[in-house]
Amino acid sequence: MDNKVIATIFYETADLMEIAAEDSFRIRSYRRAAEAVEAFDRPLSEIYKDEKALLAIPGIGKSMAGHIRDVISTGKLPLHEQLLKKFHPSMLELLKIQGMGPKTIALIWDAFHVCDPEGVQKLAQEGKLRTLPRLSEKSEQKIIKAIDSYRQMTGRFLLDTADEVAQKITELIQGMPGVEKITPAGSLRRGRDTVGDLDMLITGKFASNETQRDKVIEAILKLPGIQDVLAKGENKVSFKLRSGLQVDVRLLPPDSFGAALQYFTGSKSHSVALRQRALRMGLTLNEYGLVRLEDNKRVASKTEEDIYKKLGLEFIPPELRESIGEIEAAEEGTLPDLVTQADIRGDVHMHTVETDGKCTIEEMALAARDFGYKYMAITDHSKNLAFANGLDDKRAEAHIKKIRSVGKTIEGITVFAGIEVDILADGELDLSDSVLEQMDIVIASVHSHFQQDPQQMTDRLLRVIANPNTSLMGHPTGRMLLRREGFIFDYDKVFAAAAEAGVAMEHNAYPDRLDLSDLHLRMAKSKGVKFIINTDAHHTSHLEKMRFGVLQLRRAWLTKKDVLNTLPVAQFAKVVRRGRPVLANV
Ligand code: DGT
Ligand code: CA
Ligand code: CA
Ligand code: ZN
């Protein structure tokens, strides 16, 4: 059981306690424990038997330590179970719906004893929710919409969730006799921002050796968290994890690796287009190979490169296989030279313990240097984000002094002093211009008033772009994958204004944001926008999330030239200051 699962149980317990109107002090202790578990950088399952080690975690007292032990040893927390019995497990679903906090849910539950999304949506449609305090006809409409979009989102998973499972499966079987290649396929390999299920491909001689194959299957099924084995055959194992994620593993002999990888990577529409092309060339393509119709001779199957080549195409990177013009470009030899992770020279959006991060300036800087970066920036929150302990003018000034002085002591990396400043409801920034002017880099982000109408939001963002201190807009639509859709504004207008003013758009690589999305990235590029990709790290361990963002940039056909943090440090320092003198010593 990993820390995230444990933390979720504690968060859920706190929410359910709030619905049950329990003591707020106790509720807070569960939330604090959840946060502590989530932030802890070692698996608690390794240390949970050691009382001292548990108690040493800030936010964990004696009783919480006991609860953690319960959860790890039995998989359950008694209070969590009790509350779910009192209400109904569907209440957990309701909590995931945007705008449905514990307070609203408690109101609805007390009045109607309803706590499932369908039931609540029906109440809203029948106009019954407006009879409750603080709920209006307008809130009913919002709830109906939120439940609709929840339905579209359920059944999908974050990219890093699927990736983690793929890595665990790889660890379980790599090096086993007869196993050669283990590769994720499907939407994970294409880097789609969320995945429906995980597809994996394992090839090697084991596939045609019964004893070896049985051993490999047995090893795969040792994966922790399997709830249900759905299929177990000669060339396929499928199962469902407790999280709800389905995994399809295909076992194949090595000579059809390329064809199988191509087939199971998809997308379906890309593959359909390839197959039509093959037919026009007198060939047929399936998961075993590319075969000449005339004499049934296999002309390619071992590698994807071979297959594309024999179809008269440049190799098409998986991220581009969405049937949106990549086949035509590959035929003409005009595929873009996509940006790679190795091109990224710095990560310039990070938080520290000064606000809601978990590590110090020094720890973040050293981690960024060890990650291979030439520069990084500390960009803590501003005061409008009160729950994150955001900085006011005075603290912000003191903080950049501190960042600069710590930066001087660290060799091998440039540490920029910056801020992630909140965009207030009217487009004003949350700190004084005289303070923002002293920053190497200013990320302006919306963290409140998401529900403004598009016209108002457009004006708000245009005002941010007009502010000479703004270097880039942080997570520009504010979407939270599987939780909240992004806010809407006049994209063309805002992107065009940003391009004109030299304000960059962020791509936030953190896997539950991945914002701007691939589509919006393309749209913005067409208006001339430049981008900065960041992890928004709140812990040193988040730096490696960069790769999920890089996949999105590639899906948007972006090249090194589109991405500003591929620039050498001096040039980067200059562009983010937008023509004003560079302050950092670079
Ligand atoms: P997902 O799981 O919804 O995020 O999306 P995918 O693309 O991973 O789709 P999935 O898991 O249904 O199938 C994995 C790959 O297998 C898909 O990308 C292409 C291939 N595939 C599945 N079903 C078909 C099919 O009926 N025809 C063709 N040509 N390929 C298929
Ligand atoms: Ca899939
Ligand atoms: Ca699948
Ligand atoms: Zn941030």
Side-chain angles (χ1 to χ4, degrees):
M1 184 174 275
D2 65 21
N3 294 356
K4 215 169 179 173
V5 178
I6 303 169
T8 303
I9 294 177
F10 280 83
Y11 278 125
E12 289 176 354
T13 307
D15 285 345
L16 293 169
M17 287 165 82
E18 200 171 338
I19 296 169
E22 295 207 16
D23 176 56
S24 61
F25 185 77
R26 273 189 77 209
I27 297 172
R28 218 166 30 240
S29 69
Y30 276 85
R31 283 222 173 92
R32 276 222 326 268
E35 285 162 9
V37 168
E38 199 174 26
F40 195 63
D41 51 10
R42 279 179 51 202
L44 282 172
S45 51
E46 283 172 12
I47 63 152
Y48 78 104
K49 288 185 179 140
D50 178 356
E51 169 101 16
K52 262 214 197 108
L54 278 185
L55 289 176
I57 304 172
I60 305 290
K62 250 195 153 44
S63 67
M64 286 302 149
H67 296 325
I68 291 173
R69 275 197 302 272
D70 282 347
V71 171
I72 297 174
S73 52
T74 66
K76 287 177 187 154
L77 183 65
L79 179 59
H80 186 256
E81 298 285 302
Q82 223 172 306
L83 287 163
L84 282 184
K85 220 175 264 161
K86 173 169 177 178
F87 303 115
H88 187 274
S90 66
M91 197 163 263
L92 295 178
E93 270 187 84
L94 212 50
L95 278 163
K96 287 185 197 141
I97 290 166
Q98 187 186 352
M100 299 292 295
K103 289 205 179 67
T104 310
I105 296 175
L107 273 178
I108 298 172
W109 173 257
D110 291 340
F112 303 104
H113 260 63
V114 167
C115 71
D116 65 298
E118 274 64 42
V120 171
Q121 196 173 36
K122 196 154 158 265
L123 288 172
Q125 278 156 350
E126 290 167 351
K128 287 187 179 150
L129 295 183
R130 71 186 74 160
T131 62
L132 299 175
R134 292 199 315 261
L135 291 183
S136 62
E137 199 178 332
K138 206 169 152 201
S139 24
E140 283 175 342
Q141 292 314 312
K142 270 188 197 158
I143 289 173
I144 292 170
K145 237 183 101 200
I147 294 176
D148 276 341
S149 69
Y150 170 76
R151 270 202 212 97
Q152 286 167 14
M153 290 171 184
T154 46
R156 296 196 69 82
F157 297 82
L158 296 179
L159 202 47
D160 62 336
T161 309
D163 182 75
E164 204 176 297
V165 175
Q167 284 187 29
K168 280 189 189 141
I169 294 176
T170 307
E171 282 163 25
L172 286 171
I173 56 174
Q174 98 189 328
M176 289 186 72
V179 171
E180 283 157 39
K181 292 193 175 116
I182 313 162
T183 327
S187 49
L188 175 61
R189 182 162 182 249
R190 301 199 311 281
R192 256 194 83 173
D193 51 16
T194 59
V195 307
D197 68 5
L198 168 61
D199 303 280
M200 291 206 56
L201 212 64
I202 307 170
T203 52
K205 296 209 175 73
F206 81 95
S208 42
N209 173 325
E210 210 178 311
T211 331
Q212 286 184 347
R213 190 176 59 217
D214 287 349
K215 285 220 172 95
V216 170
I217 292 177
E218 200 183 313
I220 294 170
L221 292 177
K222 287 221 175 78
L223 185 76
I226 294 184
Q227 191 172 50
D228 240 344
V229 177
L230 307 170
K232 195 168 122 180
E234 268 182 33
N235 49 22
K236 183 177 168 173
V237 196
S238 281
F239 49 85
K240 203 163 201 137
L241 298 174
R242 253 205 309 273
S243 62
L245 179 68
Q246 183 177 322
V247 183
D248 293 335
V249 186
R250 268 114 187 160
L251 318 166
L252 294 154
D255 59 345
S256 55
F257 175 74
L261 186 57
Q262 198 294 309
Y263 183 91
F264 291 114
T265 295
S267 67
K268 205 163 157 177
S269 56
H270 171 86
S271 296
V272 167
L274 272 194
R275 247 174 295 151
Q276 287 164 348
R277 180 182 178 86
L279 287 175
R280 285 197 300 272
M281 298 171 74
L283 299 160
T284 157
L285 176 65
N286 60 32
E287 63 262 55
Y288 301 103
L290 185 65
V291 174
R292 198 154 55 205
L293 286 167
E294 168 185 291
D295 54 4
N296 235 359
K297 188 174 169 317
R298 208 148 73 154
V299 298
S301 67
K302 279 207 180 79
T303 68
E304 282 188 325
E305 282 77 1
D306 271 354
I307 292 168
Y308 283 100
K309 198 167 159 198
K310 291 273 160 46
L311 288 168
L313 300 171
E314 260 190 281
F315 177 74
I316 302 178
E319 297 92 334
L320 299 188
R321 300 183 195 168
E322 297 292 349
S323 199
I324 47 169
E326 72 278 10
I327 296 179
E328 294 76 0
E331 181 170 32
E332 292 161 10
T334 56
L335 282 174
D337 187 8
L338 299 177
V339 62
T340 67
Q341 171 136 14
D343 294 330
I344 312 290
R345 298 198 208 204
D347 186 341
V348 293
H349 182 166
M350 286 181 215
H351 299 270
T352 69
V353 286
E354 185 64 25
T355 62
D356 62 348
K358 306 291 178 203
C359 304
T360 62
I361 300 169
E362 186 170 18
E363 285 165 339
M364 295 306 285
L366 292 174
R369 185 189 69 187
D370 294 346
F371 202 75
Y373 291 137
K374 293 282 177 252
Y375 50 91
M376 57 89 72
I378 300 290
T379 55
D380 271 306
H381 289 292
S382 66
K383 64 182 187 298
N384 186 53
L385 216 55
F387 65 82
N389 188 25
L391 309 172
D392 58 16
D393 281 346
K394 213 167 142 213
R395 279 177 68 209
E397 275 190 301
H399 194 41
I400 54 170
K401 284 207 182 87
K402 187 166 171 204
I403 299 167
R404 293 196 198 287
S405 80
V406 173
K408 278 200 195 105
T409 67
I410 297 174
E411 309 234 317
I413 186 163
T414 302
V415 178
F416 289 121
I419 190 89
E420 180 179 18
V421 64
D422 262 40
I423 298 172
L424 304 180
D426 59 358
E428 190 74 12
L429 297 181
D430 190 24
L431 295 176
S432 317
D433 287 337
S434 62
V435 173
L436 294 174
E437 274 164 14
Q438 305 170 46
M439 307 277 172
D440 298 323
I441 181 165
V442 173
I443 305 174
S445 302
V446 170
H447 286 126
S448 60
H449 299 91
F450 298 102
Q451 308 281 3
Q452 283 178 348
D453 73 70
Q455 182 55 51
Q456 207 180 350
M457 189 60 90
T458 305
D459 292 343
R460 182 182 181 189
L461 300 181
L462 290 175
R463 221 175 136 195
V464 175
I465 289 165
N467 187 320
N469 288 312
T470 309
S471 313
L472 69 151
M473 308 234 323
H475 41 72
T477 76
R479 75 171 178 174
M480 294 296 273
L481 286 166
L482 311 180
R483 278 194 278 158
R484 174 175 88 203
E485 290 186 64
F487 44 80
I488 297 164
F489 51 88
D490 186 334
Y491 305 109
D492 282 347
K493 211 166 171 177
V494 169
F495 292 154
E500 162 92 35
V503 168
M505 290 286 155
E506 178 177 73
H507 175 73
N508 192 295
Y510 209 78
D512 55 9
R513 291 194 184 270
L514 299 177
D515 173 25
L516 292 174
S517 69
D518 49 4
L519 286 176
H520 283 147
L521 288 168
R522 277 191 99 169
M523 208 189 268
K525 177 175 172 164
S526 77
K527 296 284 166 194
V529 168
K530 297 286 180 198
F531 305 94
I532 295 179
I533 180 173
N534 290 317
T535 58
D536 200 349
H538 284 66
H539 189 276
T540 51
S541 66
H542 295 163
L543 294 181
E544 67 98 23
K545 307 280 185 199
M546 185 60 91
R547 60 204 168 95
F548 299 109
V550 173
L551 289 170
Q552 308 309 310
L553 302 184
R554 293 167 62 85
R555 288 175 62 79
W557 296 48
L558 300 192
T559 65
K560 197 173 161 178
K561 280 209 298 278
D562 300 311
V563 184
L564 297 175
N565 47 334
T566 61
L567 291 171
V569 62
Q571 272 168 272
F572 180 81
K574 223 165 133 178
V575 290
V576 288
R577 286 282 291 168
R578 292 177 54 201
R580 287 160 314 151
V582 170
L583 306 168
N585 197 4
V586 292

